[in-house]
């Protein structure tokens, strides 16, 4: 997950509103700081999400389902990860 405007001068300080993370999903943060318990974007790529489940299709379902709960106004998410051409 990265900021939508990564090619432009970074816009920082906007809040990340993330839903509760289920046990089979792990979120790795980068370009994020915590101020008074609020996550704020401080760089280009702000987080990466991984999942463990019985197969890749189920992982994709879980991750993209979880991402639907993320406030995406200032963020961009690739949708081709885990898809073979």
């Amino acid at each position: 997950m990265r900021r939508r405007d990564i090619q432009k001068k970074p816009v920082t300080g906007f809040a990340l509103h993330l839903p509760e993370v289920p046990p089979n999903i792990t979120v790795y943060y980068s370009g994020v700081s915590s101020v008074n318990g609020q996550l704020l974007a401080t760089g280009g790529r702000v987080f990466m999400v991984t999942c463990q489940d019985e197969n890749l299709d189920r992982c994709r379902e879980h991750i993209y389902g979880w991402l639907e709960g993320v406030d995406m106004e200032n963020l961009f998410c690739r949708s081709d990860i885990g898809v073979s051409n």
Side-chain angles (χ1 to χ4, degrees):
M1 182 69 62
R2 67 172 172 83
R3 286 192 354 269
R4 185 172 297 283
D5 61 348
I6 195 167
Q7 286 78 20
K8 300 176 184 176
K9 182 177 179 183
V11 175
T12 61
F14 66 85
L16 297 175
H17 303 286
L18 306 178
E20 183 175 335
V21 180
N24 66 333
I25 289 180
T26 302
V27 180
Y28 297 93
Y29 298 97
S30 173
V32 173
S33 66
S34 178
V35 177
N36 297 325
Q38 176 65 59
L39 292 176
L40 302 177
T42 60
R45 287 175 173 78
V46 292
F47 64 88
M48 175 181 75
V49 182
T50 63
C51 179
Q52 291 187 337
D53 209 311
E54 60 190 55
N55 62 51
L56 185 58
D57 289 333
R58 287 189 47 89
C59 287
R60 284 180 46 83
E61 289 174 17
H62 287 294
I63 287 174
Y64 289 111
W66 181 81
L67 287 170
E68 287 178 10
V70 174
D71 177 358
M72 301 284 282
E73 181 179 342
N74 293 307
L75 299 173
F76 168 80
C77 173
R78 286 182 55 183
S79 61
D80 61 334
I81 304 296
V83 176
S84 60
N85 294 333

